[in-house]
Amino acid sequence: MGHGRKKKRTHAVPTQEEFDDIPKTLVVRSGTVGRSVAALVSDMRQVMQPHTAVKLRERASNKIKDYVAVSNHLGLSHMLLFSQTETGTNLRISRFPRGPTLYMRVEKYALTKDCLRLQKTPHTSAAEFLTPPLIILNNFAGENKGREFKLMTTMLQN
């Protein structure tokens, strides 16, 4: 029997320099949050795979300063921080080590378990999370939206 061809392009292992340039994220929650926000954090960790800590165990005593202190040792470039107040759920996207921080309010969200429950034949595969997520920002900032949208676009692109 013949041997199959060896894939050379898409299955190449990145070099150390290429691996250092890949953005690595940390998805955490801050303060006391409900079960639905905790599930949202775990869903975001799944989406941000393979370059995020999926099985991160948080303590109530952890502060943002602790995450910033270990970010350089772990080679992290971004942190997504979810918090919950009386008015709603908030998301902070920050860039390490000293980059800008974007503050956003989460208006609506759907959890993975809710989406799977609505499907007639739910299908999930571990292979879906082997590639990093792709973000498309075509005409996101627009022309007359202001400096905030330009900052947000450059932050999300890099």
Side-chain angles (χ1 to χ4, degrees):
M1 293 193 106
H3 297 285
R5 73 175 183 91
K6 184 174 182 179
K7 297 181 180 180
K8 299 175 187 172
R9 289 177 291 165
T10 58
H11 298 282
V13 177
T15 63
Q16 185 64 32
E17 294 174 358
E18 292 173 349
F19 189 73
D20 291 340
D21 292 339
I22 296 173
K24 295 168 192 66
T25 59
L26 182 68
V27 182
V28 294
R29 59 182 185 254
S30 175
T32 306
V33 297
R35 279 188 279 171
S36 61
V37 176
L40 177 63
V41 169
S42 66
D43 286 350
M44 279 300 294
R45 287 179 184 159
Q46 291 293 329
V47 168
M48 299 298 283
Q49 275 187 1
H51 301 293
T52 189
V54 179
K55 296 181 180 179
L56 180 70
R57 299 194 61 147
E58 302 159 309
R59 294 184 184 145
S61 62
N62 286 359
K63 305 289 182 212
I64 298 173
K65 191 188 327 181
D66 300 332
Y67 296 123
V68 173
V70 298
S71 67
N72 194 21
H73 300 294
L74 299 176
L76 299 174
S77 61
H78 294 82
M79 179 173 71
L80 279 72
L81 188 128
F82 287 91
S83 61
Q84 192 171 21
T85 61
E86 299 85 23
T87 58
T89 305
N90 299 318
L91 167 66
R92 286 188 242 175
I93 303 174
S94 61
R95 185 165 171 83
F96 290 126
R98 309 188 81 165
T101 301
L102 303 176
Y103 294 86
M104 301 177 193
R105 178 174 290 141
V106 179
E107 295 289 332
K108 297 179 185 176
Y109 59 91
L111 299 175
T112 304
K113 66 176 186 175
D114 298 332
C115 295
L116 291 176
R117 195 177 298 146
L118 290 174
Q119 294 176 355
K120 191 172 188 178
T121 55
H123 171 71
T124 56
S125 172
E128 295 171 352
F129 302 114
L130 292 179
T131 57
L134 176 67
I135 184 167
I136 299 172
L137 297 173
N138 191 18
N139 294 329
F140 181 72
E143 297 173 1
N144 301 323
K145 297 258 178 137
R147 294 183 338 204
E148 296 86 11
F149 280 95
K150 288 181 182 177
L151 175 66
M152 188 169 17
T153 303
T154 56
M155 172 91 170
L156 293 175
Q157 285 176 343
N158 298 325

